[in-house]
């Protein structure tokens, strides 16, 4: 059997990242615009004003365009699991299958049923049934996100399963543990609230374009009022849920937290890098005192944010590789070399078990199964060649984290600013042109921040497909590198063409404007 | 509900006896269900007709689905694991062993 080419792993990852990032252009706007439309329609039903009905209908039409053009983009990811990541797909077994099946059923029945009533039912059903349909469509979209994120959270922090060496699969033994995985809970609220922020930035940005062009000013001001209020609340919620995610990161994925902070040597009372410039000449995989060219730290903030205690210990990348420190659970952390040795023992035990079981040597199989069970938490470490393979790409994780957090803080100020300005937005003189165009430019910034969040989550947990259990080099299918490269460029061409067409449709609807 | 279908439904229902009659839905209910389905179809059809951007959007959606399922799935992304469940398990197990040795 030939060796797996390292570039196969890289190209397969690149292809998955391309598809996931393209898919993620549509999902947050669906979630964000959905809740804004639902709030606007609620105002219409409560006040009985036709103006608010027209406002809701316009944003609903953009919601519909985004929904239609984003449909089925996620299915390609599921194809990629089967074709490019077949070992991974087999290994995760029903843990991944069950949440995705629930997602499919919920998404299909709830979204498609109520989406139709929401779009086609304005003059066919009463106000209240229509409003209920709008809210149920929004709730359906959120419920779809729940199950996708439950599956993703299991990859970050695998729980509620038992590995079956006969089938070489993980089998779910505790559905509640999988569904209420702490990583899934914090991730769900963080993803949904950050999507609301993106939706709010989109509405405020488009509305500012109307103000800039002196068109539909009453409509634009009303839209800004709703979107900025919701966006401001969502920004604070995103901050709170982001903090919960960071606490989980410190507990379950300390290497990701260390990479996001560029922290090589940990300690007690560790500061948080508020602003920093990494040294491009540094060796990111191991100890480097010159990791930063410049940094400004908030004293003790990382210890406080990660553990709730400003004087608690937070391990750095080198500490995690060396081991020997006391973990949150009170154990002494193993070194990378020790974990790699236990991983190799687990893999060898799997082979011993299967060989013994195949010839009916049940006692030998039982002994091997015992070894495998004991060392299975380190199974994936057995595939690593060097301890430094455990270090994720530090610069990408570090800068993505800062882009995400800085954008979130900036959006809070933006929402507060436009809310405070209120009607004065229409009377600004000299500054109106740069301010409105600047706010319009915040739309791509919101997308960049949202994608950056996923980069922190996914790049920061490298080299793992499933944390601690399966690295990418074992998860990837044995394919020709050339065929993966071909599909990568094919997807790039298809996605680019579709995106141009889709953005064109969206701009056409915006240019036409609302019927108010 | 037409008179014809009402009479036909009554005849079929009344011609059944015992368990068959109990298992069968009353004709009036069947007609109401058929009517509801027709109304749902009409609701969707009128909705699609009234869409201002409908044609372009649906052309794009259908093109995307055709590319995804017709080309990508069939020609570029076939499942890598084939055969029985036991065969798949054996393949993955062999890959896991081999990759650990060749790390």
């Amino acid at each position: 059997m030939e060796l797996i080419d390292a570039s196969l792993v890289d190209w397969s990852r690149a292809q998955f990242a391309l598809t996931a990032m393209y898919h993620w252009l549509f999902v947050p706007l669906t979630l964000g615009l959905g809740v804004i439309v639902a709030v606007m329609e609620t105002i219409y039903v409560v006040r009985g004003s036709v103006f608010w009905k027209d406002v809701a209908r316009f944003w609903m039409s953009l919601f519909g365009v985004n929904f239609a053009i984003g449909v089925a983009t996620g299915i390609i990811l599921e194809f990629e699991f089967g074709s490019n990541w077949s070992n991974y797909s087999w290994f995760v077994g029903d843990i991944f299958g069950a949440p995705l099946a629930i997602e499919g059923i919920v998404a299909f029945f709830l979204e498609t049923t109520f989406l139709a009533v929401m779009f086609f039912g304005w003059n066919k059903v009463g106000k209240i049934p229509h409003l209920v349909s709008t809210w149920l469509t929004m709730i359906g979209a959120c419920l779809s996100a729940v199950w996708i994120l439950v599956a993703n959270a299991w990859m970050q922090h695998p729980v509620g399963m038992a590995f079956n060496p006969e089938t070489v699969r993980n089998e779910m033994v505790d559905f509640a543990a999988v569904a209420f995985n702490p990583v899934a809970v914090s991730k769900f609220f963080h993803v949904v609230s950050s999507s609301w922020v993106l939706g709010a930035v989109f509405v405020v940005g488009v509305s500012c374009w109307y103000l800039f062009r002196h068109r539909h000013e009453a409509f634009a001001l009303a839209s800004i009022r709703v979107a900025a209020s919701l966006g401001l609340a969502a920004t604070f919620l995103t901050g709170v849920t982001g903090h919960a995610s960071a606490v989980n990161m410190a507990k379950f994925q300390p290497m990701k937290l260390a990479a996001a902070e560029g922290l090589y040597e940990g300690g007690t009372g560790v500061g948080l890098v508020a602003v920093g410039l990494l040294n491009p000449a540094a060796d990111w995989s191991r100890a480097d005192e010159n990791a930063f060219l410049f940094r400004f730290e908030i004293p003790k903030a990382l210890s406080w944010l990660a553990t709730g205690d400003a004087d608690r210990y937070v391990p750095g990348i080198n500490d995690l590789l060396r081991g020997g420190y006391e973990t949150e659970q009170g154990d002494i952390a193993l070194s990378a070399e020790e974990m790699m040795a236990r991983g190799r023992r687990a893999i060898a035990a799997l082979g011993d078990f299967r060989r013994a079981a195949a010839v009916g040597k049940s006692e030998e199989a039982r002994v091997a199964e015992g070894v495998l069970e004991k060392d299975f938490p380190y199974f994936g470490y057995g595939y690593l060649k060097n301890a430094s393979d455990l270090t994720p790409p530090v610069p990408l994780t570090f800068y993505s984290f800062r882009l995400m957090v800085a954008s979130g803080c900036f959006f809070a100020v933006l929402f507060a600013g436009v809310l405070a300005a209120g009607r004065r937005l229409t009377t600004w003189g000299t500054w109106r042109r740069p301010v409105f165009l600047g706010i319009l430019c915040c739309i791509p910034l919101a997308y960049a921040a949202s994608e950056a969040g996923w980069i922190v989550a996914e790049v920061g947990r490298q080299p793992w497909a499933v944390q601690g259990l399966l690295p990418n080099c074992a998860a990837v299918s044995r394919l020709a590198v050339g065929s993966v490269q071909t599909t990568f460029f094919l997807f790039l061409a298809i996605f680019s063409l579709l995106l141009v067409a889709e953005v064109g449709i969206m701009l056409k609807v915006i240019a036409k404007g609302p019927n108010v | 509900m037409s008179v014809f279908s009402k009479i036909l439904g009554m005849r079929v229902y009344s011609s059944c006896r015992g368990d068959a009659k109990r298992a069968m839905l009353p004709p009036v209910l069947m007609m109401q269900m058929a009517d509801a389905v027709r109304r749902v179809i009409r609701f969707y059809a009128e909705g699609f007709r009234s869409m201002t951007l409908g044609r372009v959007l649906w052309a794009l959606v259908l093109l995307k689905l055709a590319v995804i399922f017709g080309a990508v799935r069939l020609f570029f992304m076939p499942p890598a694991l084939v055969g029985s469940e036991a065969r798949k398990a054996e393949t993955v197990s062999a890959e896991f062993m081999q990759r650990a040795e060749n790390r």
Side-chain angles (χ1 to χ4, degrees):
Chain A
M1 210 181 270
E2 290 174 15
L3 284 172
I4 282 286
D5 190 336
S7 66
L8 170 66
V9 179
D10 293 340
W11 278 104
S12 299
R13 281 182 59 208
Q15 190 191 73
F16 197 87
L18 173 75
T19 317
M21 291 179 90
Y22 176 70
H23 178 54
W24 195 249
L25 291 175
F26 306 106
V27 179
L29 191 59
T30 299
L31 293 171
L33 216 44
V35 71
I36 291 170
V37 167
V39 169
M40 286 170 170
E41 192 181 337
T42 306
I43 296 172
Y44 155 61
V45 171
V46 171
R47 293 191 185 172
S49 156
V50 181
F51 170 80
W52 278 103
K53 182 183 177 183
D54 293 335
V55 172
R57 283 192 79 160
F58 173 73
W59 294 111
M60 194 178 282
S61 67
L62 288 179
F63 173 91
V65 171
N66 180 65
F67 189 92
I69 59 189
V71 79
T73 51
I75 289 173
I76 304 175
L77 292 170
E78 295 190 27
F79 291 170
E80 285 174 19
F81 284 135
S83 61
N84 295 54
W85 302 97
S86 57
N87 292 346
Y88 156 84
S89 296
W90 184 262
F91 184 77
V92 300
D94 61 347
I95 310 276
F96 227 68
L100 292 184
I102 297 170
E103 188 271 334
I105 293 165
V106 169
F108 184 79
F109 286 105
L110 204 60
E111 285 182 71
T112 53
T113 305
F114 294 106
L115 189 78
V117 178
M118 180 175 150
F119 280 102
F120 304 151
W122 278 109
N123 302 317
K124 293 189 172 77
V125 298
K127 275 184 189 177
I128 300 293
H130 192 276
L131 179 65
V132 170
S133 298
T134 304
W135 277 106
L136 285 175
T137 304
M138 200 278 287
I139 292 166
C142 290
L143 287 179
S144 293
V146 167
W147 296 109
I148 297 285
L149 295 172
V150 162
N152 179 274
W154 187 83
M155 294 160 72
Q156 317 273 348
H157 176 49
V159 286
M161 84 297 184
F163 181 68
N164 183 343
E166 283 177 30
T167 58
V168 200
R169 303 188 95 163
N170 283 288
E171 292 167 358
M172 197 186 297
V173 293
D174 186 350
F175 178 76
V178 174
F180 297 104
N181 184 341
V183 177
V185 175
S186 61
K187 191 178 271 277
F188 167 72
F189 287 107
H190 190 56
V191 165
V192 170
S193 57
S194 64
S195 298
W196 291 356
V197 174
L198 185 140
V201 172
F202 179 83
V203 171
V204 170
V206 172
S207 300
C208 280
W209 183 76
Y210 288 124
L211 292 179
F212 174 70
R213 301 294 298 260
H214 293 291
R215 289 175 59 193
H216 313 294
E217 288 189 340
F219 158 86
L221 286 174
S223 298
I224 287 173
R225 216 161 42 240
V226 171
S229 305
L230 191 91
L232 191 59
T235 313
F236 286 110
L237 190 59
T238 304
V240 172
T241 54
H243 170 65
S245 290
V247 170
N248 282 331
M249 210 196 289
K251 270 188 203 162
F252 308 122
Q253 296 175 299
M255 183 62 91
K256 188 195 283 185
L257 182 71
E261 279 301 311
L263 180 69
Y264 279 84
E265 295 295 340
T268 51
V270 179
L272 181 86
V273 180
V275 185
L277 187 63
L278 290 166
N279 182 358
D283 179 358
W284 303 113
S285 61
R286 58 191 172 82
D288 200 304
E289 289 181 356
N290 303 316
F292 285 90
L293 290 175
F294 153 79
R295 69 178 146 180
F296 170 70
E297 276 188 7
I298 303 170
K300 298 194 175 192
L302 183 62
S303 283
W304 181 70
L305 286 170
T307 66
D309 180 345
D311 292 317
R312 281 282 283 275
Y313 179 80
V314 177
I317 291 171
N318 293 329
D319 304 301
L320 290 161
L321 297 181
R322 278 194 302 261
Y325 63 91
E326 193 178 334
T327 65
E328 289 253 330
Q329 292 77 20
D331 306 321
I332 298 300
L334 296 181
S335 70
E337 296 293 344
E338 285 170 312
M339 290 191 283
M340 285 159 67
R342 289 188 69 172
R344 287 194 286 273
R345 212 155 53 217
I347 295 166
L350 174 64
D352 293 343
F353 172 86
R354 291 188 64 81
R355 275 188 295 275
V359 293
K361 292 181 178 174
S362 54
E363 184 53 29
E364 281 182 33
R366 199 184 57 76
V367 172
E369 193 175 5
V371 175
L372 176 60
E373 203 175 313
K374 193 175 155 215
D375 288 326
F376 185 70
Y378 306 97
F379 187 85
Y381 289 87
Y383 291 98
L384 304 177
K385 199 172 176 181
N386 304 304
S388 58
D389 294 344
L390 284 165
T391 310
V394 173
L396 187 56
T397 314
F398 176 85
Y399 287 122
S400 299
F401 186 69
R402 261 133 209 92
L403 174 63
M404 174 184 73
V405 175
S407 303
C409 297
F410 171 70
F411 292 143
V413 175
L414 173 75
F415 294 137
V418 293
L419 277 175
R423 290 194 167 276
R424 279 171 290 175
L425 282 170
T426 54
T427 55
W428 281 354
T430 321
W431 290 100
R432 65 178 282 127
R433 192 180 176 87
V435 167
F436 289 155
L437 286 179
I439 295 174
L440 186 62
C441 290
C442 287
I443 297 175
L445 178 65
Y447 278 99
S450 192
E451 299 276 6
W454 276 110
I455 289 173
V456 174
E458 301 304 306
V459 174
R461 71 182 166 99
Q462 293 306 313
W464 302 112
V466 181
Q467 184 77 30
L469 301 182
L470 194 70
N472 289 323
C473 62
V476 74
S477 302
R478 188 176 289 278
L479 299 171
V481 180
S483 69
V484 182
Q485 287 171 327
T486 307
T487 45
F488 174 87
F489 288 111
L490 176 78
F491 288 176
L492 184 63
I494 293 173
F495 293 162
S496 302
L497 282 173
L498 286 171
L499 192 62
V500 169
E502 291 156 359
V503 171
I505 295 174
M506 192 74 97
L507 292 178
K508 197 174 157 188
V509 177
I510 293 170
K512 193 181 166 202
N515 296 317
V516 288
Chain B
M1 196 189 323
S2 70
V3 176
F4 177 75
S5 56
K6 195 183 276 180
I7 292 169
L8 188 69
M10 291 300 284
R11 274 187 186 163
V12 172
Y13 183 66
S14 54
S15 66
C16 295
R17 289 173 187 279
D19 290 343
K21 195 169 186 172
R22 274 193 292 277
M24 218 177 139
L25 286 169
V28 174
L29 187 60
M30 277 173 59
M31 295 303 151
Q32 283 174 343
M33 282 171 64
D35 190 45
V37 170
R38 269 195 296 274
R39 277 190 289 153
V40 168
I41 292 170
R42 202 182 309 130
F43 176 80
Y44 274 85
E46 286 173 7
F48 282 121
R49 269 198 297 271
S50 66
M51 286 173 76
T52 49
L53 272 167
R55 281 183 194 166
V56 183
L57 264 181
W58 282 105
L60 203 62
V61 169
L62 291 175
L63 173 74
K64 185 183 281 185
L65 290 175
V67 168
I68 290 172
F69 287 102
V72 172
R73 181 58 164 171
L74 282 181
F75 300 111
F76 294 101
M77 310 204 81
L81 292 174
V82 288
S84 64
E85 295 288 286
R87 171 107 182 111
K88 288 177 185 173
E90 194 50 49
T91 307
V92 173
S93 168
E95 284 284 339
F96 280 175
M97 295 301 129
Q98 188 67 33
R99 290 186 198 187
E101 284 169 22
N102 293 337
R103 71 182 177 279

